[in-house]
């Protein structure tokens, strides 16, 4: 039995538009960043985290918005799309809205292109080691020489054709600290968007 009456069944297609928020757009984190993997994954859950990544990737391809086929998107994520609110894909959509990464608009969703810092309320529910890691992340003093080196590496990666969504992970693999890698990758991403 469905959770919806026939008149309130969710559509099979929705419109995805960017949620413009100058504060979060400037200071937030890329949904594919290590910050999101470390600190948002346990809050959102894996399905909603992957969904946000896909929605934002769509906005990178179509910055003004696009039509999203819910059935095809759910199938691509290994899920099925049903009208039931209890289905895993529907729950992921609901979690994106519940945690402020998306909001309903006419015929669809406005989606944040950047993820805000995790709230204190959610941070306090995390295991102590994650709380300590988050504290370290926030308190990391970025030295100019360290950032310059990371930025140069990121620029070379972009010039070689690396996808900006993986540069942060590559920098960390090269020994760049998380917060520095995040900032350098973010700068590289912003530069590619403006050029």
């Amino acid at each position: 039995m469905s959770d919806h009456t026939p008149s309130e069944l969710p559509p099979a297609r929705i419109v995805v538009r960017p949620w413009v928020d100058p504060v979060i757009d400037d200071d937030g984190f890329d949904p594919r960043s290590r910050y999101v993997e470390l600190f948002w994954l346990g809050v959102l859950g894996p399905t909603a985290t992957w969904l946000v990544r896909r929605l934002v990737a769509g906005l990178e391809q179509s910055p003004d918005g696009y039509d999203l086929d819910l059935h095809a998107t759910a199938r691509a994520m290994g899920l099925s799309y049903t009208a039931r609110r209890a289905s895993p894909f529907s729950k992921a959509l609901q979690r994106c809205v519940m945690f402020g990464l998306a909001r309903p608009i006419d015929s669809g969703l406005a989606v944040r292109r950047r993820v805000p810092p995790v709230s204190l309320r959610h941070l306090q529910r995390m295991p102590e080691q994650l709380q300590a890691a988050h504290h370290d992340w926030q308190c990391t003093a970025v030295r100019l020489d360290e950032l310059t080196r990371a930025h140069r590496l990121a620029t070379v990666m972009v010039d070689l054709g690396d996808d900006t969504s993986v540069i942060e992970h590559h920098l960390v693999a090269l020994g760049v600290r998380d917060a520095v890698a995040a900032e350098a990758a973010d700068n590289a991403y912003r530069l590619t968007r403006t050029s």
Side-chain angles (χ1 to χ4, degrees):
M1 180 179 232
S2 173
D3 297 343
H4 299 279
T5 62
S7 64
E8 57 180 317
L9 288 175
R13 295 184 79 78
I14 62 171
V15 174
V16 176
R17 299 270 184 250
W19 177 350
V20 177
D21 180 340
V23 173
I24 301 303
D25 288 348
D26 194 43
D27 293 332
F29 299 91
D30 185 294
R32 296 158 293 209
S33 69
R34 288 182 45 80
Y35 182 92
V36 171
E37 288 177 10
L38 290 171
F39 307 116
W40 270 102
L41 181 64
V43 174
L44 279 177
T47 305
T49 301
W50 278 108
L51 180 57
V52 166
R53 290 174 174 207
R54 283 180 171 270
L55 296 174
V56 171
L59 288 172
E60 287 178 355
Q61 298 298 313
S62 302
D64 295 329
Y66 59 95
D67 289 334
L68 180 72
D69 181 323
L70 297 176
H71 291 283
T73 303
R75 280 194 314 271
M77 294 177 64
L79 304 168
S80 63
Y81 175 74
T82 65
R84 294 187 346 257
R85 291 177 52 88
S87 73
F89 186 76
S90 294
K91 283 182 178 181
L93 283 170
Q94 293 166 37
R95 290 182 75 77
C96 290
V97 171
M98 180 171 61
F99 290 107
L101 302 181
R103 65 180 166 83
I105 59 170
D106 288 341
S107 304
L109 291 173
V111 176
R112 289 189 186 277
R113 292 170 291 196
R114 310 283 289 173
V115 176
V118 71
S119 72
L120 180 61
R121 169 174 72 108
H122 298 299
L123 184 61
Q124 290 173 332
R125 294 180 180 159
M126 292 180 189
E128 285 183 26
Q129 81 182 59
L130 270 183
Q131 290 181 37
H134 191 271
H135 176 74
D136 291 346
W137 187 290
Q138 289 182 312
C139 294
T140 298
V142 177
R143 295 187 326 265
L144 184 58
D145 60 329
E146 187 179 23
L147 182 59
T148 301
R149 177 181 171 270
H151 182 71
R152 284 183 182 149
L153 288 168
T155 302
V156 168
M157 290 176 194
V158 169
D159 290 344
L160 292 173
D162 285 0
D163 187 323
T164 56
S165 66
V166 298
I167 288 175
E168 181 181 351
H169 295 278
H170 290 319
L171 290 172
V172 170
L174 290 170
V176 177
R177 292 183 301 148
D178 284 333
V180 177
E183 189 164 340
D186 190 51
N187 289 341
Y189 170 75
R190 289 171 195 262
L191 287 173
T192 60
R193 284 187 59 201
T194 58
S195 56

